[in-house]
Amino acid sequence: MIAAGIDVGSTSTKVVLLDNEKMCCKVKPTGWSPRQAGRECFQELLEQEGYRDEQVDIIVATGYGRVSLDFAHKAVTEITCHGRGAAFLVPGTDLVMDIGGQDSKVIKIDEKGKVLDFAMNDKCAAGTGRFLQVMAIALGLDVSELSELSRDHTPVTINNMCTVFAESEIIGLLAQGVEKGKIVAGIHASIARRMAAMANRMGTNGIVTFTGGVALNDGVRRSLENELGRKIVVPRDCQLVGAIGAALIGREILCNELISN
Amino acid sequence: MADYRQMWTDLGMDLEKHDLLCEVLPEVYTNIYLEQENRPEGMEYFNFVVSEIHGVRPAELIEHQKKGGKVFGTFCIFVPDEVVFAAGGIATGLCGGSQFWVPEGEKVLPANTCPLIKASVGARLGRTCPFFRIADIYIGETTCDGKKKAWEILSQDVPVYVMDLPQMKRVKDIAAWEDEIKLFMQKVEEVTGNKVTSEGLAESIRLINEKRKALARLYNSRKNSPVPISGKDVLLATQIAFYDDPARFTAQTNALCDELEARVAKGEGVFPVNAPRIMITGTPMAIPNWKLHHLIETSGAAVVVEEMCTGTRYFDNLVDESQATLEGQIRALAERYMKINCACFTPNPGRIDDILRLAKEYKVDGIIDANLKFCGLYSTESYNVQNALKEAGIPVMHLETDYSEQDAEQLRTRIEAFVEMLGK
Ligand code: SF4
Ligand code: SF4
């Protein structure tokens, strides 16, 4: 039984194949056409792993491009998929924090990964991957350098949540000669504050699992731990959690079909 | 649609701009409404009303004016239509529900005004809605600040009479509203040139009560599972209730109810039995604002009740019909209207009680608390609403949106996730 999960995010497309106990995956930039990115990423993964199209029993699509994948059997929101994926990868999770390219969300789940409540920021770039990117550019850095640079630095306070204003604030701080490490720590803290405000409303106390592209930045994770006062786990496949969740949901649908037949 | 261009020209409308509106509406309506499966036949009447929205009813109102009758435009369900009809006038709702009118409103209002106010002001100033042209006088009220200031702007272009609505519900406030209704009656008498008699008022109280009963009957059918009619269709009927001829609306709605009750008896419905049942609570949805209903009902859930002014707040509670004197009737009106639980009141626990009661009656699985952007009253009250629902163990999601389509896909993700979360 083979189930595929395709997560077409705003920045990158992720495909996961679950073949019983075996799992394989592929990540590609989404580019301009979500449909094409989903299709290509899926095909390339099949080729790379030596599978044929018809061997895949079910395809579940998720992410913002989920509706454009006409070859998928089902579309499920990234919120539901992240819940499932996180519960599978990090048992004991009761809160998922996801920061993607264009949005951020917190999801409260039960032990099986079923969503109990969620909150989402998709109105502006504040507190998202995009925010980090713009700030990195303003500092003349690459996003991958941010984590190291901020280590052991006391954050300066960044007052502006709005990306445009925060950018000028940072340029101002640089002009005052504030150390880059402190500024980066400040940027991380500002994202963490925003996420913590959403998370605190969920009222959970178990493991927090941090997912999405921004979870690759350990500086943000450290800031979140500070802000929440709780341990935060970043699963190794933090970018793949949505796609894994989608594949798991696909597998479940297949099992239910088998049972009811 | 029949040719109403001459009528629109006579009304001083901006035909060119108005044509743009006429062009888009049929397509939107087809996509949202006509493509629903298994629609009740009784919706035919409402389809007709929408297809002739700027024609048939405006023509009737003009006919009424030609005979010396007056038309009163209203914006809030606190304004007692009974008084207008008792004086031989016609009351018609004027709230704007389309993005089309917003830019025109923004020319004179701050951008952070709620879209309902912007669209309403824009529809008047842009001269693109016949109803806004026809009304002899607008009846405003002191509900939210945005509206209060909008009256001052509108009154530079059209006569506006403002009713002072109390913002608390003490005995003295109900008495104050009673006084306001008396003053309103004088104004209506002055505008129409007709005296309101207790016989006339008794008749119009019955007329409007019958409309409320028809709507209550329509909503009652939605308590069944499967639900016999979509939320979208009921929303449309409710919106039309604001400006249609009350007696005709009542008859048509009752005919629709006959059909729905027959469906219920046969166990027929428009959504699968396991589709999550959603309540929407919050700010009003003026025609043609069908955005949230459409998103929800194309995401696998059914809207089964609206705790809104375009919903239960409009028809809940009847006016006592047993009063024989004007004095008694006006008190009965004041008492009934002051039972409406609008967020402009402080405190407003009645609204939360209503939401909890309706959740039970309509067996809802989840509640979407939705308010128009920049509505300070409802978005602030949302905190208490959400807390009460969480305490009662009812899943709730808060959404804030306007009339534009820009956020449709983001809203869809939230709504789908909410529906998946409620999944049975
Ligand atoms: S929300 Fe309040 S102010 Fe608006 S129409 Fe309803 S009762 Fe009137
Ligand atoms: S939605 Fe809110 S801000 Fe808009 S008119 Fe109604 S009460 Fe006022």
Side-chain angles (χ1 to χ4, degrees):
Chain A
M1 188 158 72
I2 303 178
I6 307 182
D7 179 359
V8 185
S10 57
T11 319
S12 60
T13 295
K14 289 81 64 173
V15 180
V16 162
L17 278 181
L18 281 182
D19 179 356
N20 294 314
E21 289 314 296
K22 195 178 148 227
M23 183 181 108
C24 55
C25 62
K26 184 157 189 81
V27 182
K28 243 179 116 80
T30 301
W32 294 115
S33 162
R35 192 180 167 280
Q36 199 181 336
R39 178 95 246 176
E40 278 176 15
C41 196
F42 176 61
Q43 291 301 345
E44 285 169 24
L45 180 61
L46 289 183
E47 266 164 47
Q48 174 189 313
E49 302 292 325
Y51 288 109
R52 276 171 291 111
D53 246 9
E54 57 277 13
Q55 280 177 287
V56 179
D57 300 292
I58 190 165
I59 304 170
V60 175
T62 186
Y64 102 104
R66 67 189 179 283
V67 277
S68 51
L69 299 192
D70 46 12
F71 58 97
H73 300 100
K74 197 177 166 64
V76 179
T77 62
E78 48 272 39
I79 293 158
T80 302
C81 290
H82 270 95
R84 288 304 312 277
F88 175 79
L89 293 172
V90 189
T93 299
D94 65 1
L95 190 74
V96 186
M97 296 185 125
D98 176 79
I99 309 185
Q102 309 277 359
D103 63 18
S104 54
K105 44 194 170 282
V106 296
I107 310 161
K108 177 178 170 178
I109 58 173
D110 70 7
E111 64 287 353
K112 290 199 188 111
K114 188 175 160 19
V115 178
L116 299 175
D117 200 359
F118 64 92
M120 199 168 176
N121 160 44
D122 54 15
K123 296 245 163 63
C124 65
T128 67
R130 177 88 192 118
F131 179 82
L132 268 185
Q133 210 165 29
V134 173
M135 299 312 135
I137 292 169
L139 291 165
L141 297 166
D142 187 81
V143 259
S144 59
E145 298 172 86
L146 297 177
S147 173
E148 250 338 280
L149 203 71
S150 66
R151 192 179 289 280
D152 301 327
H153 278 288
T154 334
V156 289
T157 310
I158 312 269
N159 293 306
N160 286 296
M161 287 284 188
C162 168
T163 315
V164 179
F165 291 118
E167 193 181 2
S168 12
E169 193 177 344
I170 279 163
I171 293 168
L173 289 169
L174 279 177
Q176 287 166 34
V178 180
E179 245 180 289
K180 276 192 186 175
K182 283 190 173 178
I183 300 179
V184 176
I187 293 166
H188 292 161
S190 126
I191 293 182
R193 270 201 307 277
R194 230 188 136 87
M195 291 301 283
M198 282 205 280
N200 284 333
R201 288 202 205 163
M202 298 285 146
T204 61
N205 51 24
I207 298 175
V208 180
T209 296
F210 184 18
T211 69
V214 173
L216 292 168
N217 175 335
D218 195 55
V220 177
R221 187 193 61 81
R222 291 191 303 263
S223 293
L224 271 172
E225 259 179 5
N226 263 339
E227 199 62 49
L228 278 180
R230 282 164 70 181
K231 178 124 194 68
I232 292 174
V233 179
V234 177
R236 203 193 51 201
D237 304 310
C238 64
Q239 260 187 300
L240 296 175
V241 178
I244 292 172
L248 286 168
I249 289 169
R251 190 148 88 178
E252 212 169 280
I253 295 171
L254 291 175
C255 291
N256 285 339
E257 276 171 9
L258 279 179
I259 294 166
S260 59
N261 285 341
Chain B
M1 185 160 37
D3 192 4
Y4 295 104
R5 297 187 78 82
Q6 190 53 48
M7 176 178 90
W8 293 333
T9 311
D10 296 344
L11 285 172
M13 287 173 60
D14 181 338
L15 283 194
E16 239 168 79
K17 241 194 256 160
H18 184 249
D19 283 346
L20 298 176
L21 181 61
C22 296
E23 253 167 52
V24 291
L25 203 61
E27 193 192 317
V28 173
Y29 191 74
T30 305
N31 288 343
I32 296 184
Y33 276 96
L34 302 181
E35 282 172 11
Q36 295 179 91
E37 272 170 37
N38 199 16
R39 277 184 97 201
E41 275 169 33
M43 286 309 294
E44 239 346 282
Y45 170 71
F46 301 98
N47 285 341
F48 169 74
V49 174
V50 173
S51 69
E52 300 271 325
I53 193 160
H54 282 179
V56 167
R57 185 63 180 155
E60 282 177 1
L61 296 177
I62 291 169
E63 224 17 70
H64 167 77
Q65 285 172 322
K66 281 190 187 145
K67 289 190 220 129
K70 297 291 175 201
V71 176
F72 295 72
T74 63
F75 298 84
C76 171
I77 62 169
F78 269 95
V79 175
D81 288 354
E82 288 90 341
V83 174
V84 175
F85 285 100
I90 294 181
T92 184
L94 286 184
C95 287
S98 168
Q99 178 65 24
F100 181 82
W101 294 306
V102 169
E104 202 70 41
E106 281 178 343
K107 285 188 187 163
V108 295
L109 297 167
N112 62 351
T113 305
C114 103
L116 201 148
I117 300 175
K118 284 194 276 200
S120 301
V121 170
R124 170 71 202 187
L125 301 185
R127 296 181 288 119
T128 42
C129 174
F131 290 95
F132 278 83
R133 304 295 311 162
I134 291 169
D136 295 287
I137 181 168
Y138 290 5
I139 309 303
E141 16 51 52
T142 53
T143 43
C144 66
D145 291 353
K147 278 189 179 177
K148 278 188 279 200
K149 292 292 126 181
W151 309 138
E152 295 169 21
I153 295 173
L154 281 171
S155 66
Q156 294 159 21
D157 194 49
V158 57
V160 180
Y161 176 84
V162 181
M163 296 183 77
D164 184 8
L165 182 73
Q167 317 259 288
M168 292 177 76
K169 291 191 175 176
R170 299 160 302 183
V171 176
K172 72 177 215 145
D173 297 310
I174 299 171
W177 189 235
E178 198 180 320
D179 283 342
E180 271 303 308
I181 296 179
K182 282 183 195 153
L183 290 175
F184 178 54
M185 189 176 290
Q186 284 171 16
K187 182 72 193 179
V188 171
E189 288 177 338
E190 177 199 314
V191 173
T192 58
N194 300 327
K195 268 273 168 238
V196 173
T197 62
S198 62
E199 291 76 30
L201 193 52
E203 200 180 306
S204 69
I205 287 175
R206 265 196 305 278
L207 175 77
I208 306 298
N209 270 349
E210 287 309 312
K211 174 158 96 172
R212 293 190 182 110
K213 284 186 214 163
L215 281 165
R217 190 179 158 202
L218 175 62
Y219 277 62
N220 214 32
S221 76
R222 306 164 80 191
K223 292 178 182 165
N224 295 284
S225 180
V227 57
I229 182 166
S230 68
K232 254 190 306 208
D233 278 336
V234 176
L235 173 65
L236 177 67
T238 312
Q239 290 169 333
I240 288 174
F242 281 75
Y243 64 90
D244 200 6
D245 174 71
R248 181 176 55 211
F249 175 85
T250 303
Q252 292 292 342
T253 302
N254 276 321
L256 172 65
C257 291
D258 290 340
E259 185 187 351
L260 298 181
E261 285 158 16
R263 280 188 167 194
V264 169
K266 283 188 271 175
E268 281 174 14
V270 290
F271 292 103
V273 190
N274 62 357
R277 299 168 61 86
I278 305 281
M279 177 198 306
I280 307 187
T281 177
T283 49
M285 295 176 172
I287 199 164
N289 178 11
W290 305 306
K291 184 175 167 179
L292 277 184
H293 279 66
H294 182 59
L295 282 169
I296 295 168
E297 296 198 327
T298 50
S299 295
V303 180
V304 296
V305 60
E306 296 82 11
E307 191 281 320
M308 316 188 123
C309 291
T310 42
T312 55
R313 272 182 238 143
Y314 185 51
F315 62 80
D316 262 355
N317 302 307
L318 299 174
V319 179
D320 174 15
E321 293 181 12
S322 69
Q323 299 297 326
T325 61
L326 274 178
E327 191 71 24
Q329 289 166 323
I330 292 172
R331 187 166 330 110
L333 283 170
E335 282 167 0
R336 186 270 159 190
Y337 280 92
M338 286 293 282
K339 283 186 193 146
I340 299 171
N341 296 313
C342 171
C344 68
F345 285 89
T346 185
N348 190 30
R351 177 160 168 242
I352 289 172
D353 295 344
D354 283 343
I355 297 172
L356 293 171
R357 170 179 57 83
L358 294 167
K360 273 207 194 97
E361 286 178 10
Y362 289 81
K363 300 182 225 48
V364 309
D365 297 302
I367 296 182
I368 295 184
D369 173 28
N371 66 261
L372 288 168
K373 242 185 219 165
F374 308 119
C375 173
L377 292 174
Y378 281 86
S379 62
T380 308
E381 193 161 282
S382 177
Y383 177 76
N384 288 340
V385 169
Q386 290 186 62
N387 282 349
L389 289 173
K390 285 200 175 135
E391 205 167 295
I394 305 171
V396 56
M397 175 170 66
H398 179 243
L399 294 179
E400 197 165 64
T401 184
D402 56 16
Y403 294 164
S404 73
E405 283 299 317
Q406 286 163 13
D407 59 352
E409 284 317 304
Q410 291 164 334
L411 285 175
R412 184 177 288 285
T413 297
R414 286 172 194 238
I415 290 168
E416 279 183 8
F418 189 62
V419 172
E420 285 164 4
M421 180 180 116
L422 301 176
K424 298 183 197 171

